Structures are given as C-alpha cells and as structure tokens.
Amino acid sequence: MINVNCDLWEYPADWRAITTNGSINSKGLAVMGRGCALEAKKRFPGLQGSLAYNLKLGGNHIFMFPEYKIITFPVKHQWFEKADINLITRSAEELRSNWEDPWIIAMPRPGCGNGGLSWADVRPVIVDILPDNVTILSL
C-alpha cells in the first residue's frame, strides 16, 4: 500500500476504488450522495443503477465495473451511519482476493472522509491486507 497526496481522478491508475454504502433510495438507485461516490455518480451516470442492481443481488460487498474501471469499496452499511471498521476490513479482504497483477488501484482513505474515522485508526487495520499496488490518496 502506497500513500500519495493526489486527486483520485488525476492519479494514473488502472482502476479507482470508491467508498460506498449499502443503501438504495426510493427510486431504486444506490445512494451516492457525498464524497468520491458522488463524484463517480456525476462522471458515470449509469453507475448508480448498476451498483443498486448488484447491492440487491449480492449485498453490500465490493463490485467491479469494468466499463468505468471503478471498484466499489463499502465502508458503511447505511449512508447516514459512521463508517464501520469491520466492513472496511472485509472490503479490503475482498479487494485483495479480486486483485489481479499488475493492476494499479487508486482509492481514498476508506472511512476517513464522510465516514468519520481517523486514518490513524484505519491504516493499521488495512495496511497488511491491501496489495502493494493499491495507492491510498489524500488531499
């Protein structure tokens, strides 16, 4: 795992992992209202519906969307909750099991923005799980 101070959308990566939650709104779309999830929703209008479909079928897990080069990385169960360190750990394990060499994956500090957790608490939990080619970005 590498730490870099850079914008998620500008970093040269094969994939971008965005932090998400397991909520679906009344229109049947995934709740992507803040942070990098909101940015991804604006960049890729079909992503919100595709994520909702996957959440309904598979639950709140990581999902890969090759057409957007996006990986969703759940940090919350519901959009309004604080990030869950156990969910972040599970998401990191799922990302590692789906990783393929030589992918370069960029992602924000999971759970540390709108999730309300500190990087000092999250980093030690995921540092040994995430592969070396994952770059954690901070602004």
Side-chain angles (χ1 to χ4, degrees):
M1 186 175 80
I2 304 164
N3 287 284
V4 174
N5 188 2
C6 185
D7 181 89
L8 176 65
W9 307 103
E10 294 179 15
Y11 188 81
D14 300 309
W15 289 81
R16 287 164 193 6
I18 60 166
T19 52
T20 58
N21 61 72
S23 299
I24 298 173
N25 67 22
S26 61
K27 296 179 182 177
L29 299 172
V31 175
M32 301 175 77
R34 296 171 77 185
C36 63
L38 176 60
E39 292 174 22
K41 178 179 82 170
K42 290 177 180 177
R43 288 173 182 266
F44 312 109
L47 180 59
Q48 191 177 20
S50 297
L51 176 55
Y53 176 81
N54 282 286
L55 288 169
K56 290 175 192 173
L57 287 180
N60 196 19
H61 294 275
I62 73 159
F63 296 107
M64 302 177 79
F65 297 94
E67 65 273 30
Y68 308 120
K69 293 296 190 181
I70 292 289
I71 302 167
T72 59
F73 189 98
V75 299
K76 297 179 182 181
H77 298 284
Q78 298 295 321
W79 67 268
F80 53 85
E81 297 174 337
K82 186 175 178 179
D84 178 340
I85 196 70
N86 294 318
L87 181 57
I88 292 169
T89 301
R90 188 189 77 196
S91 296
E93 290 167 347
E94 290 178 6
L95 181 60
R96 180 168 189 89
S97 69
N98 285 286
W99 167 74
E100 290 188 25
D101 193 27
W103 287 350
I104 297 171
I105 302 168
M107 66 183 292
R109 293 176 171 181
C112 297
N114 294 314
L117 300 179
S118 76
W119 183 233
D121 292 331
V122 175
R123 186 186 184 286
V125 173
I126 63 172
V127 69
D128 292 329
I129 300 171
L130 291 176
D132 293 338
N133 69 327
V134 173
T135 301
I136 303 292
L137 305 172
S138 62
L139 294 175

